[in-house]
Amino acid sequence: MVNKFKTVCLTAAIASSSATFAGGLLTNTNQHVAFNRMMSREASIGIDGVYYNPAGVVFMGEGSHLALNWQMAYQTRTIKNDYKLFTNNVNNPTTPRDFKGKAFAPVIPSFQYAYNKGRWSLQGNFALTGGGGKCTFDNGLGSFEKIVGETAMGAIGLAGAIDNALGAEMFTSDKAFGKKGSYSFNSYMHGRQYYFGLSAGAAYKVNDNFSVYAGLRGIYATCNYYGYVENIKVGNMPLYQVLDPSKENSANIELSCDQSGIGFTPMLAVDYKTGRWNFSAKYEFKTRMRLKNKSVNKLPSIGNLDDNLKNQMNKVLTGKFMHDYDLPLEQAMAKAEQTSTAVLNNPTVMATTAGLKQQFDSKINEAIGEYADGKKIAGDIPSLLTVGVGYSPIDELRINVGFHWFDDYNATSHNNRNKLLKKRGTLEFNAGVEYDVTKKITVSTGWQNTNYGLTDKYMDDKSFVVGSNSVGVGGVYHITKKLDFTVAYFHTFYNHVKTSETVTLAPGVSNTYNSDYTRNNNAFAAGVNITF
C-alpha cells in the first residue's frame, strides 16, 4: 500500500511542467509584447519578427533594432473530481471536490536584436521558449487523494484478514485502522520549469520581394520539483506504526529533484512581399532534450511490514494474555509470539501481505523512475511550422492571419506519454488587426484558438492541457521615430475536458472516478523598441 503513496508523491509535482503561455505542449510563442496585443504576428515586419518572422526583419530599415520586453503571467489550474472514497476523508468528507494549482511568473524577460546592412540582417533573440513559471498545489491533487483513499481501503482489508485469522478485533478496532476506510494526511506540491532560449541567425534579401533566413537556438532547461506527504493516518492509526514505530517520519515521503539539460533548434524561414500583401513561413526542427536528475528523495520501506505487524500484535497480545489468563509476563510473551506467528502464516494473511510487497516491488521503478538521481529524462520540444498572411488595405491599417502546427506527437517525453496524443499534433489559428489612430498612437487586438490533439488517456491532473481561445488588446506609443513604448494584456478562455474511469477496488467492487479539467490565465506585458 505504501508504494501507491510514493507513486503519487513523485509524479504529482510535474503538474507545473505545462507551459504557462500560448503555444504547444512545451512551447511558448508569446516572446514579444506585440504578440500579447495582437496575437497574429507571423506576417508582420518588425523587430518582434526576430522570433515570429525572421526572414521579414531584413525589410526593416538599415541599422540596429532592439526590443526589450517584460511579461507577468498568472494562471490557475482547476480539476473537479468526483469519487465516492473522498467521503472517507475525515478532514473534508465531500465529493465532488475542486483541486487547484496556482502558477505565477512575475518577471518574464525577453529581448530581440537585429542589425540590418544591405541585403543582410543579423539577428539574436533571448526568451523563455518553454515553461516559464512556478506552480503550487497547497492541498495536493485529486489523483493523490484517490490513491490515499484506496490505500486506506487496502489497509482495512489487511486488518480484516489479520483479525479474522486471530479471531479477535485488533487492527480493525476503532483505535487502529477501523472498518470504514477513513483517512487523513498532509501534502504539498511545488514545481518550477524554465526553458531559456538564445538564438542567432541571419536573413538574406534575395530581391526586393523575397527573403530567406537560417538560424540556431540553444536551450538551457532548469526545473525543480519538491513535494511531501506526511502524517498519513488510516482510521486512528498513524501509518508509520506498521512501518517503523521508532520513527514518526518513517511513513513520510519527500521529493526533492533538480533537472537540467541542453538542446539545440535549427530554424528556417522565408518571407515574400507583393504590393500590400505579405506572406511568411517558418519551420523549427524538433529539439532533443534530455534532462539530468539531481535528487535527494526520502522514501519509506515496506520491507519490515511483517516484523512490525508482529511486534504490534505481540505487544497487544502479551497484555491481553496477562490480563485474561493471569499469565506471568514470560509465558504471556511466549504465547503472544506463538499466536502472532500463526496468524501471519495464515494463507489469507500471507497472500494479502505478499500481494502488497509484490505490488511494491513491481511499481517502485515506475514510482521513482522519472526522478531517480542521475537519470536522464526525455523532454523534447516539438517541431513547429508557422504560416502567416498580412494585408494592409490602407497605410494606417494592418490585418494578419496565422497558423501554427506543433508536432507534439513525435516530441519524446518520459515513458513516451506523447504517443497518447492524436497524431495530428497541436493546431493554432490566429488573427489580429492594428490601426494607427494618430502618428503617435497605434491600437491593436487579436485572437488565437489552440486545439491540442488530446485523448482521454493523455489527460492526467499531474500534467494536463486543454484547448482554448485567447484574446489580446494593447497599444503602442511612438515616443519618437526611433523609440516605441508598448503595453498589452491578454486573457485565455479555456475549455473543459471531462473524463471518467471505473476503478476496481476488489472483485465485484468498483467506483467511478470523474474528472473535469480547466484553467484560467492572464498576462500583462510592456516593452520598448529602439532603433539606433
Side-chain angles (χ1 to χ4, degrees):
M1 57 186 169
V2 182
N3 63 298
K4 292 184 176 181
F5 285 112
K6 296 169 75 171
T7 301
V8 178
C9 180
L10 294 177
T11 57
I14 66 173
S16 66
S17 65
S18 298
T20 301
F21 304 133
L25 296 177
L26 196 60
T27 309
N28 289 344
T29 55
N30 48 338
Q31 298 188 20
H32 187 280
V33 181
F35 174 90
N36 297 58
R37 66 179 177 85
M38 189 177 173
M39 298 291 176
S40 186
R41 299 296 299 176
E42 290 72 30
S44 293
I45 304 297
I47 184 58
D48 61 288
V50 171
Y51 173 73
Y52 300 102
N53 180 21
V57 175
V58 74
F59 292 114
M60 297 178 67
E62 289 199 353
S64 294
H65 306 271
L66 174 66
L68 301 174
N69 308 280
W70 162 85
Q71 294 186 60
M72 178 180 68
Y74 176 76
Q75 184 180 104
T76 59
R77 306 169 190 183
T78 304
I79 311 101
K80 182 186 290 292
N81 293 125
D82 188 6
Y83 194 43
K84 184 178 180 180
L85 293 187
F86 286 173
T87 60
N88 292 334
N89 185 332
V90 297
N91 294 321
N92 189 2
T94 60
T95 187
R97 187 97 53 76
D98 283 346
F99 295 88
K100 291 187 177 182
K102 298 178 181 180
F104 181 53
V107 179
I108 307 106
S110 67
F111 73 81
Q112 293 78 35
Y113 173 78
Y115 175 70
N116 290 2
K117 183 67 175 179
R119 292 183 175 273
W120 288 93
S121 174
L122 305 179
Q123 304 170 24
N125 178 49
F126 171 81
L128 288 170
T129 60
K134 302 176 181 179
C135 188
T136 300
F137 291 84
D138 290 325
N139 298 308
L141 297 165
S143 61
F144 186 101
E145 184 163 344
K146 170 179 175 289
I147 295 179
V148 172
E150 292 169 0
T151 299
M153 296 301 292
I156 65 171
L158 175 60
I162 292 175
D163 285 4
N164 285 337
L166 182 62
E169 186 179 88
M170 180 180 294
F171 290 105
T172 57
S173 71
D174 290 338
K175 294 182 179 180
F177 289 138
K179 304 182 182 69
K180 298 179 181 179
S182 60
Y183 60 86
S184 63
F185 65 100
N186 295 327
S187 67
Y188 173 84
M189 298 295 162
H190 174 84
R192 64 166 172 78
Q193 183 185 68
Y194 294 99
Y195 277 46
F196 298 100
L198 180 63
S199 67
Y204 178 72
K205 184 163 54 176
V206 179
N207 54 47
D208 291 341
N209 301 94
F210 182 67
S211 62
V212 296
Y213 168 89
L216 181 69
R217 178 187 299 124
I219 297 175
Y220 172 69
T222 174
C223 314
N224 171 264
Y225 306 111
Y226 175 77
Y228 60 79
V229 185
E230 61 185 16
N231 299 328
I232 304 164
K233 184 183 290 187
V234 178
N236 285 307
M237 177 174 281
L239 192 62
Y240 78 87
Q241 290 186 5
V242 294
L243 296 182
D244 187 350
S246 65
K247 299 178 181 178
E248 291 189 7
N249 64 352
S250 62
N252 293 350
I253 306 101
E254 182 177 333
L255 164 69
S256 181
C257 176
D258 291 303
Q259 293 180 333
S260 61
I262 296 175
F264 297 93
T265 310
M267 300 172 291
L268 299 173
V270 295
D271 186 272
Y272 179 72
K273 292 168 54 69
T274 176
R276 291 187 173 273
W277 292 87
N278 191 56
F279 304 88
S280 71
K282 180 183 69 168
Y283 185 76
E284 297 185 0
F285 291 83
K286 181 177 76 172
T287 309
R288 184 183 185 275
M289 293 288 294
R290 295 298 179 266
L291 305 174
K292 187 172 182 180
N293 293 343
K294 185 177 180 181
S295 308
V296 182
N297 302 323
K298 298 179 182 178
L299 308 171
S301 173
I302 199 173
N304 295 325
L305 179 61
D306 286 341
D307 290 340
N308 288 322
L309 287 171
K310 188 174 183 179
N311 290 336
Q312 289 278 339
M313 294 172 65
N314 286 345
K315 181 179 179 180
V316 174
L317 290 174
T318 296
K320 178 179 175 61
F321 294 152
M322 290 177 66
H323 179 272
D324 293 352
Y325 302 107
D326 198 25
L327 293 177
L329 176 62
E330 219 172 272
Q331 291 183 22
M333 290 177 63
K335 185 175 178 62
E337 174 75 19
Q338 182 181 20
T339 303
S340 60
T341 299
V343 169
L344 292 175
N345 287 333
N346 176 277
T348 301
V349 175
M350 289 181 65
T352 304
T353 54
L356 289 173
K357 291 180 180 180
Q358 183 178 12
Q359 188 181 42
F360 176 84
D361 292 336
S362 65
K363 292 188 176 182
I364 185 64
N365 185 61
E366 177 186 348
I368 66 173
E370 186 171 357
Y371 302 100
D373 185 48
K375 189 171 184 178
K376 289 188 177 181
I377 304 301
D380 292 351
I381 296 178
S383 58
L384 166 63
L385 173 67
T386 71
V387 178
V389 178
Y391 177 63
S392 179
I394 58 176
D395 291 345
E396 294 81 11
L397 180 64
R398 293 165 292 282
I399 303 170
N400 286 6
V401 294
F403 168 75
H404 303 159
W405 173 62
F406 301 88
D407 189 14
D408 293 305
Y409 181 81
N410 290 308
T412 306
S413 60
H414 181 63
N415 284 340
N416 287 314
R417 184 165 178 254
N418 51 294
K419 296 302 182 182
L420 298 178
L421 294 163
K422 294 179 181 178
K423 291 185 178 181
R424 69 167 175 80
T426 298
L427 305 178
E428 284 188 331
F429 302 88
N430 60 48
V433 58
E434 61 180 355
Y435 180 70
D436 298 329
V437 179
T438 67
K439 291 183 179 180
K440 287 288 187 179
I441 298 175
T442 298
V443 295
S444 60
T445 186
W447 157 86
Q448 179 168 277
N449 172 266
T450 301
N451 191 335
Y452 300 102
L454 301 175
T455 65
D456 285 352
K457 290 184 178 180
Y458 182 86
M459 297 302 294
D460 187 333
D461 63 358
K462 293 180 288 295
S463 179
F464 76 91
V465 292
V466 293
S468 63
N469 285 280
S470 299
V471 293
V473 294
V476 182
Y477 179 61
H478 307 284
I479 300 173
T480 69
K481 290 183 178 180
K482 295 187 175 183
L483 179 62
D484 293 337
F485 175 70
T486 305
V487 293
Y489 164 77
F490 89 77
H491 179 78
T492 302
F493 300 89
Y494 287 93
N495 301 333
H496 285 257
V497 175
K498 298 181 180 181
T499 63
S500 181
E501 64 174 298
T502 300
V503 181
T504 301
L505 299 175
V509 180
S510 63
N511 282 330
T512 301
Y513 181 71
N514 298 313
S515 302
D516 184 339
Y517 302 87
T518 192
R519 294 188 179 199
N520 184 58
N521 185 68
N522 295 277
F524 301 87
V528 293
N529 296 338
I530 307 169
T531 298
F532 53 91

